[in-house]
Amino acid sequence: MAFLTPLTLKMVKQAENRVGVTFDYVRKIAQTNFGLLLRYNKVFGFLDPRKHLPAPAYHAARLRGALAADCGTCVEAEINLALQAGLSKDLVKAILNGTLDGPLHAVVDLTDAVVAAKEDAPEARAEILQAYGEAGLIELSYAMNGAALLPGIKRAMGYATTCNLSMMKALS
């Protein structure tokens, strides 16, 4: 499968350009073993599709999940993806600061409880169920935990990074 490496690396570069961060760890996976790259892609292909939620709820879960696990390029990537999905800078800032009302506040509360504190938040879950239904709750659980999974993979491989303070300041 080594013959696929140049094509794969080109696709990684395109993804980096789209998301606005480096995927050096994905490049390392691709150069090491194509089968491992396929496994990586299966995991994130399973976690990422948004089909049952409005973009603000989905990205709130992704942003808070990444924030709970990492303050580096994963958070920066989630910010870029949220902005590309049409969220305003003010909404992204509110998500990062946890200053939201209604169902989005419940999304932040549940994500922070589950991913950051490893706790339950039954009141937030009830509000989410009312706003987005069972399918929405399940998709949120994938989004928040999927966003938190990536920093662990990067950290284990030695590719975790620190915050891009200029990106964070641009939103404040």
Side-chain angles (χ1 to χ4, degrees):
M1 295 276 189
F3 66 93
L4 292 175
T5 302
L7 176 62
T8 302
L9 295 177
K10 182 178 179 181
M11 293 171 68
V12 170
K13 184 64 177 165
Q14 289 172 339
E16 289 174 330
N17 291 338
R18 182 176 59 84
V19 177
V21 299
T22 61
F23 291 143
D24 45 0
Y25 68 99
V26 177
R27 194 174 292 104
K28 182 66 168 183
I29 294 169
Q31 292 169 335
T32 300
N33 184 286
F34 193 74
L36 290 172
L37 180 66
L38 291 177
R39 286 173 52 193
Y40 170 87
N41 287 337
K42 282 182 190 178
V43 168
F44 287 97
F46 163 75
L47 294 172
D48 283 340
R50 178 180 65 83
K51 297 181 182 187
H52 303 282
L53 293 167
Y58 176 79
H59 288 286
R62 301 260 329 157
L63 277 163
R64 297 301 291 201
L67 196 60
D70 173 67
C71 189
T73 55
C74 293
V75 175
E76 187 178 348
E78 293 299 339
I79 290 169
N80 293 339
L81 290 169
L83 293 171
Q84 289 172 17
L87 276 66
S88 70
K89 284 186 177 183
D90 287 340
L91 180 54
V92 171
K93 180 181 172 184
I95 292 167
L96 291 171
N97 293 329
T99 55
L100 299 161
D101 296 327
L104 288 179
H105 179 72
V107 170
V108 167
D109 281 354
L110 184 63
T111 304
D112 289 354
V114 170
V115 180
K118 313 291 189 258
E119 297 174 354
D120 195 5
E123 298 85 14
R125 183 174 35 263
E127 189 171 347
I128 289 166
L129 282 168
Q130 184 161 8
Y132 307 118
E134 198 72 47
L137 174 65
I138 293 167
E139 194 165 85
L140 280 174
S141 72
Y142 293 171
M144 67 179 71
N145 287 290
L149 176 64
L150 188 52
I153 292 170
K154 288 174 58 178
R155 193 171 293 108
M157 291 179 62
Y159 287 92
T161 59
T162 58
C163 261
N164 178 342
L165 292 179
S166 62
M167 167 65 83
M168 299 299 181
K169 286 180 183 178
L171 288 167
S172 57

